[in-house]
Amino acid sequence: MALRNHSTITGFILTGLSDNPQTEALLFVLFLGIYILTMMGNLTMLLVIGADSHLHTPMYFFLSNLSFLDLCFSSVTVPKLLKDLLSEKKTISVEGCLTQVFFVFITAGTEAFLLSMMAYDRYAAICHPLLYGQKMSNELCVRLVLVSWGLASLNSVVIVLLAVNLDFCDAQTIHHYTCELPSLFPLSCSDISINIDILICSTLLHGLGTFLPIFFSYTRIVSTILSMSSTTGRSKAFNTCSSHLIAVILFFGSGLVRYLMPTSGSSLDLLASLQYSAVTPMLNPLIYSLKNQEVKAAVKRTLRKCLHYFGS
């Protein structure tokens, strides 16, 4: 398996988000703020869920894993972006590029599986409340998360093998701010038609394999909610699911646009990548905390504990 002609190309040049120093300075401040908020928000969710026994349920177990994934996902691309915004030359080695591709796929892939499992959790809670504890046991939740990581890792290895076997010739410029396969393929002087077909099939299988369970779960959830006689019960059920639905739309919408649309190096490519790799990881803890009374109450309890601990 060779990086056989990679000896002629030791690295790539990234065009980044802008070549204007003033614009880059503003973008640096913006994405530094986004990254700090992402770290603070997701670490807070992990701390609150871990510290508050009221949140030791399957739903919050999955949510804590989502927060951990968002920390990882954001850290794969944003620190490099911040460094490049302060650099005159934006370069990345071939090995570094392939490593970034691998970790983008493993974190994004695991998040897709996790969002699918969170939909099933909501289906079990709303459609089969009496059997919820039996359907969503702790052992099953742990297994589902481990399976998510395993399947995403397998998919990531297959995807990276597509890039490892490419021959890169004279073209060294990636018209993007990070290494992603859709932007990497055009730089190859190999025949990439099979690679593109495999990437599209992999994206469709992964995307549909995780999105369809979400769709069917919410079809049943909506049907169950509409059949409820209590207005309060309907409102509570919709509020429980709305946060997850927003997260699904943000993640799947931008991800599928990026990997199924032809690569053009346009602003749409950049915006789609920024949406799912930088903005969504920042928004997820806000979405789940602002719309969730249990999380708000847990945050207040945790703050009181911290103030009492440091005040005593």
Side-chain angles (χ1 to χ4, degrees), residues 138-157:
N138 291 335
E139 295 79 7
L140 177 62
C141 292
V142 171
R143 283 179 196 154
L144 288 174
V145 170
L146 291 176
V147 167
S148 298
W149 279 100
L151 290 174
S153 300
L154 180 62
N155 184 60
S156 301
V157 170

Side-chain angles (χ1 to χ4, degrees), residues 211-229:
F211 183 76
L212 285 178
I214 295 173
F215 176 77
F216 287 122
S217 293
Y218 273 100
T219 300
R220 294 294 303 276
I221 287 169
V222 170
S223 174
T224 301
I225 291 174
L226 292 177
S227 66
M228 291 178 178
S229 56

Side-chain angles (χ1 to χ4, degrees), residues 252-297:
F252 278 92
S254 54
L256 291 176
V257 165
R258 179 68 184 111
Y259 282 91
L260 293 181
M261 296 287 286
T263 300
S264 60
S266 66
S267 298
L268 180 61
D269 289 345
L270 295 175
L271 287 173
S273 295
L274 287 169
Q275 172 62 54
Y276 74 76
S277 67
V279 179
T280 299
M282 175 193 71
L283 292 178
N284 276 344
L286 295 174
I287 292 167
Y288 281 101
S289 60
L290 291 176
K291 295 183 69 64
N292 192 308
Q293 295 301 321
E294 288 181 321
V295 173
K296 286 181 184 177

Side-chain angles (χ1 to χ4, degrees), residues 111-139:
E111 185 155 335
F113 279 117
L114 193 61
L115 288 170
S116 182
M117 288 163 191
M118 290 171 76
Y120 177 75
D121 172 72
R122 292 299 82 212
Y123 158 76
I126 292 171
C127 300
H128 302 283
L130 298 179
L131 298 174
Y132 179 66
Q134 185 179 339
K135 280 180 172 286
M136 300 301 297
S137 65
N138 291 335
E139 295 79 7

